[in-house]
Amino acid sequence: MSDERPAWARRIAAEREARKWSQTEAVAALRAHSPKRLPDGSSMVRQWKRWESGEVKPSEFYQPIIASTFGTVTHALFPVEGRRDGNAEVIAASGMETLDILSRVQASDVDNATLDALRITADRLCSEYPYLPSRQLAVEGREWLKRVAGLQSQRLTLTQHREVLTISAWLALLVGCVEYDSGDRAAAESTRRAVLSLADEAGNSEVAGWAHEMRAWFSLTTGDYHGILAASQSGTEVAPNHGVAVQLAAHEAKGWARLGDRRKTEVALDRGRKLLEGMPYPENLDHHFVVDPAKFDFYAMDCYRLLGEDAMAETLANEVIRVGTDFDGVEKAPMRAAEARVTLGVVAARRGDLEQAVNFGEWALKGDRQSLPSLLLVSRELAAIVNRDFSGEATGQGYLEHLTALSRTR
C-alpha cells in the first residue's frame, strides 16, 4: 500500500525514526531548539502526531524549529515550488534571442540590454550544469566566454567593464568545473586561477569565493583533506556573507569527517546550516553556483556516511534522490543521485547485503552525466568495504573490476 502522506510528513517521521526517537523524545528535542516556550503537557505530542500523519502542516513558526531539531534548513523539509525558464528570461530582460545577442556582440554594439542578455545567458548555462553532457557544456561555455571576453577590447564604461569581467568569470567557473568533471585537472586548475584574477580585477568577492570553493573540491577528491580546510578558510574570509560560504562550510565538514573528527564535522555543518537558514530562498534552484536547501541534505549525507551514522545517511540519501527526481521520473540532479545511491550501497554493505550494495553501486556508475572525481571518491568507499568483507564473492569482484576500469578511463 502506497504512503499517500505529503513528502514533508514522511520526512519528519523518517528523520525521527533514523534517530530512534519516540514521538515524546522528538517533542523534547523540539523544545530544546525552540526560541520560545512551547505548550506543556501532551498537546505537543498530539501535534507532532498530526504532523507525521500529514493531517496538519506545521506553521511558519514551527517549520524552522523542526528543521533545526533535525540539523537541516527549513526549505529542505518544506520546499518552495517553482522553476525558472532561462531562455524566456533572456527574452524578457532584453527582448533578444540568442541570434540577436550574437549579432550585437559581433557588431560591438554593447549597451545595458546586451549585457543583461549576456548575464542571463551565462546564468542559463550554469543552470544546465546538472544534466547537460559535459562535452557539450564545455564547448558552449568556452564559445560564450570567448565572445564575452572579446568585448573588453571595446569602448566600455567602468561599470560595463566590470560587468564584462564578472560575466567572464562566471562562465570560466562553469568551464573549470566541467573540465574537472571530465578528468582534466590541469586545465581546471589553470581556469580556476584565471577566475581568481578576473574576480580580483572586477572586485567581485562572490566569484572569488567560488574559485576557492573549486580548490576545496579539488582537494577533497584528491585526498588532500588539510587542503580542504585551508581552501575553505580562504574562501570564507573572502565571501563570508554569500551563499558560497555555506558550501565552504560543507567542504570543511567533509574534510573533518574524513579526518575522523566528529565534533568539528558537526560544528562546521551547524555553521553552514545557520548561514543558509538566514539567507533568502534562491530564485533559481538549478544554478550550479547557488546553494539550495536540498544541497545541504546532500552535504550532511556525505558526512553521516563517513561517520558511520548509517540510519541518518540512508534517510538523507533517499531524500536526495526523491527531491532530485521530477514527477515523470526524470532526474534533475543525476550527479547528486549517483552519490546518494553509493551511500545506500555503503549502508547495505555494512549490513552484510552484498547484492543490494553492488546493485546500488552499479546503478550509480551508469549515469550519462557524471562528475568522475566525486563519483570515484565515494565509490571507493564502497569498494573498500566490498574488498574487505566480500573478497571471495564473484558479485563483489565484478563491481570492483568495473570501478577499476572506470578509474583507468579517467
Side-chain angles (χ1 to χ4, degrees):
M1 184 175 179
S2 62
D3 190 341
E4 296 182 355
R5 290 178 297 171
W8 51 263
R10 297 196 300 271
R11 172 79 185 275
I12 289 173
E15 290 280 2
R16 176 182 62 78
E17 291 165 1
R19 290 161 174 78
K20 299 181 179 179
W21 290 346
S22 67
Q23 290 177 327
T24 300
E25 289 171 328
V27 169
L30 188 76
R31 293 185 191 282
H33 287 82
S34 177
K36 297 181 179 179
R37 183 172 177 174
L38 301 181
D40 295 326
S42 60
S43 62
M44 279 306 305
V45 177
R46 289 197 298 272
Q47 183 73 292
W48 187 281
K49 290 179 179 179
R50 296 174 74 194
W51 292 338
E52 283 199 13
S53 70
E55 179 185 349
V56 175
K57 185 175 184 178
S59 67
E60 291 185 0
F61 170 75
Y62 281 109
Q63 287 181 15
I65 305 174
I66 296 170
S68 178
T69 300
F70 291 136
T72 187
V73 291
T74 303
H75 292 303
L77 274 173
F78 308 98
V80 176
E81 299 298 328
R83 300 182 65 183
R84 294 169 64 187
D85 183 338
N87 286 319
E89 287 196 8
V90 173
I91 298 172
S94 62
M96 290 182 281
E97 296 190 22
T98 300
L99 288 176
D100 298 319
I101 301 169
L102 290 174
S103 297
R104 287 203 174 201
V105 170
Q106 290 166 354
S108 302
D109 184 7
V110 182
D111 57 14
N112 289 337
T114 304
L115 290 176
D116 283 344
L118 289 171
R119 176 177 48 78
I120 299 173
T121 298
D123 184 76
R124 176 181 61 79
L125 287 171
C126 290
S127 300
E128 292 174 343
Y129 173 87
Y131 54 84
L132 204 66
S134 296
R135 184 173 298 178
Q136 180 182 345
L137 193 54
V139 169
E140 289 192 33
R142 290 189 184 109
E143 286 178 350
W144 280 104
L145 178 57
K146 184 177 179 180
R147 291 164 185 154
V148 176
L151 295 177
Q152 294 185 52
S153 63
Q154 308 303 320
R155 288 187 175 182
L156 302 171
T157 66
L158 180 59
T159 300
Q160 288 177 330
H161 179 65
R162 285 178 175 168
E163 181 69 5
V164 167
L165 290 171
T166 297
I167 295 170
S168 298
W170 285 119
L171 289 168
L173 274 172
L174 176 65
V175 169
C177 289
V178 177
E179 288 170 339
Y180 198 72
D181 285 343
S182 304
D184 194 344
R185 183 183 175 190
E189 174 59 18
S190 296
T191 303
R192 188 190 74 83
R193 290 179 180 275
V195 170
L196 271 177
S197 178
L198 287 168
D200 181 62
E201 191 174 352
N204 192 307
S205 60
E206 183 181 11
V207 174
W210 281 108
H212 288 291
E213 187 276 339
M214 287 178 69
R215 180 185 159 212
W217 176 34
F218 298 171
S219 298
L220 173 67
T221 55
T222 55
D224 179 10
Y225 304 141
H226 289 286
I228 299 171
L229 304 179
S232 297
Q233 182 178 353
S234 296
T236 302
E237 289 174 355
V238 169
N241 300 314
H242 290 287
V244 66
V246 177
Q247 191 141 321
L248 289 164
H251 280 310
E252 184 180 334
K254 291 180 179 184
W256 286 122
R258 285 167 171 79
L259 290 168
D261 194 319
R262 183 189 185 94
R263 186 186 67 81
K264 290 183 178 178
T265 299
E266 293 179 341
V267 167
L269 276 177
D270 192 54
R271 187 174 73 251
R273 182 190 66 79
K274 289 176 179 176
L275 279 169
L276 184 55
E277 191 71 270
M279 292 178 178
Y281 193 77
E283 294 180 10
N284 183 3
L285 296 178
D286 297 325
H287 198 294
H288 182 55
F289 302 108
V290 167
V291 181
D292 70 88
K295 271 187 180 178
F296 193 80
D297 286 339
F298 176 66
Y299 305 144
M301 174 198 77
D302 184 83
C303 295
Y304 287 131
R305 182 188 68 247
L306 288 160
L307 294 174
E309 294 286 355
D310 289 348
M312 293 168 67
E314 183 179 31
T315 296
L316 289 171
N318 285 321
E319 186 67 10
V320 167
I321 294 170
R322 184 193 68 79
V323 172
T325 305
D326 257 334
F327 67 93
D328 55 0
V330 175
E331 291 184 346
K332 300 177 289 184
M335 290 179 286
R336 288 190 222 171
E339 292 187 39
R341 291 192 174 96
V342 177
T343 294
L344 294 174
V346 168
V347 172
R350 287 173 178 164
R351 291 173 178 165
D353 190 338
L354 174 62
E355 183 176 355
Q356 187 179 45
V358 169
N359 284 341
F360 278 124
E362 289 284 4
W363 193 355
L365 299 179
K366 291 177 182 177
D368 293 328
R369 182 67 177 95
Q370 296 177 338
S371 173
L372 280 177
S374 297
L375 181 58
L376 290 174
L377 175 72
V378 295
S379 294
R380 285 172 185 142
E381 292 178 34
L382 175 56
I385 300 172
V386 171
N387 195 44
R388 182 192 68 198
D389 297 344
F390 307 98
S391 58
E393 300 284 343
T395 301
Q397 288 302 312
Y399 171 68
L400 294 175
E401 289 170 5
H402 186 182
L403 189 59
T404 299
L406 186 62
S407 300
R408 287 174 179 166
T409 300
R410 184 201 169 193

